[in-house]
Amino acid sequence: VYKRMLRGKKPSRIAEKRIFLLDKIGFVWSVGHRAQWFNMFEELKKYKETHGHCAVPYRSSNYRLTNWVSKQRQRYFEMKEGKSAVMTAERVDMLNSLGFSWKVLEYNWHEMLEHLKEYKERHGNCLVPQRYAPNPSLGNWVLAQRDAFKRMISGEKPSSLTKKRIFLLNELGFVWRIKKSPRF
């Protein structure tokens, strides 16, 4: 009945409130679903052993794992808002034990900061060219930080640049404004 309702085929006799209450106490709607979660968790453990982290990229060849990781984040935030009990404290603890990153954009920002530190060690500055061949995404990321800073200063749009991020970049000697050389 529940599955039919989810697929939108026939109205269910179970009221939405009852489903919500059953979800809230951790009712398992499908027995196989629990085993599937643990199988995917094991797959994530293998991924971490191979790659050293749990940040499965969106363009991974393992679409199932990419999708599962994304759903775990979604369900975690739903759980925090009291909307879903599919994600349990036990599962959160298990994922945390692997070093799972709930805020993937935050993880990616810090990963790019590490790349910038490596660039500075090699070149002595943070003036990454926009088309930096060894790491093209680093040049784009540096440009994005400058753009976010400009937006923040001008009050144009909300910026993803926090005081902490500005501090970390300043600590490296990040150059916020680049004077463009005249073109002849």
Side-chain angles (χ1 to χ4, degrees):
V1 176
Y2 175 74
K3 286 182 183 177
R4 278 188 270 140
M5 187 187 94
L6 286 179
R7 285 188 232 121
K9 290 192 177 181
K10 287 185 179 179
S12 172
R13 288 183 242 146
I14 300 176
E16 283 183 31
K17 185 171 182 162
R18 287 183 181 173
I19 291 171
F20 174 79
L21 291 171
L22 289 168
D23 278 343
K24 197 167 183 171
I25 63 168
F27 184 81
V28 178
W29 293 98
S30 172
V31 177
H33 192 62
R34 182 173 168 81
Q36 183 182 4
W37 191 93
F38 284 99
N39 288 341
M40 292 306 295
F41 178 77
E42 289 301 318
E43 203 166 317
L44 180 62
K45 278 172 68 173
K46 289 176 189 168
Y47 180 91
K48 182 178 180 176
E49 288 171 14
T50 304
H51 297 90
H53 59 77
C54 296
V56 182
Y58 290 112
R59 293 188 178 118
S60 169
S61 59
N62 188 339
Y63 175 76
R64 279 183 24 167
L65 185 60
T66 300
N67 190 34
W68 183 82
V69 163
S70 178
K71 283 187 179 186
Q72 300 318 297
R73 288 188 183 100
Q74 179 186 353
R75 289 176 178 154
Y76 172 75
F77 290 109
E78 287 172 355
M79 180 190 83
K80 290 188 78 147
E81 294 172 358
K83 293 180 182 176
S84 172
V86 174
M87 177 58 72
T88 64
E90 174 194 14
R91 289 178 177 183
V92 170
D93 289 343
M94 290 176 70
L95 289 165
N96 283 340
S97 74
L98 293 180
F100 189 80
S101 177
W102 298 104
K103 295 182 178 180
V104 71
L105 294 177
E106 186 72 18
Y107 174 84
N108 289 344
W109 191 91
H110 286 282
E111 186 178 28
M112 292 306 292
L113 182 66
E114 290 304 314
H115 290 298
L116 181 60
K117 286 177 183 177
E118 292 168 11
Y119 179 92
K120 184 176 181 181
E121 285 175 20
R122 248 183 255 128
H123 301 279
N125 62 48
C126 296
L127 300 171
V128 182
Q130 191 173 355
R131 292 189 177 107
Y132 179 55
N135 186 347
S137 59
L138 182 60
N140 292 328
W141 181 81
V142 165
L143 180 65
Q145 302 317 297
R146 290 189 183 113
D147 287 344
F149 185 74
K150 283 182 207 170
R151 285 194 309 273
M152 186 185 77
I153 297 299
S154 70
E156 261 179 58
K157 294 180 181 177
S159 171
S160 61
L161 209 52
T162 63
K163 287 180 183 179
K164 182 181 177 184
R165 288 180 176 184
I166 292 169
F167 173 80
L168 292 170
L169 289 166
N170 282 339
E171 202 172 46
L172 273 180
F174 191 81
V175 179
W176 294 102
R177 292 192 175 106
I178 302 292
K179 292 181 183 179
K180 294 183 181 181
S181 57
R183 294 183 183 207
F184 296 99

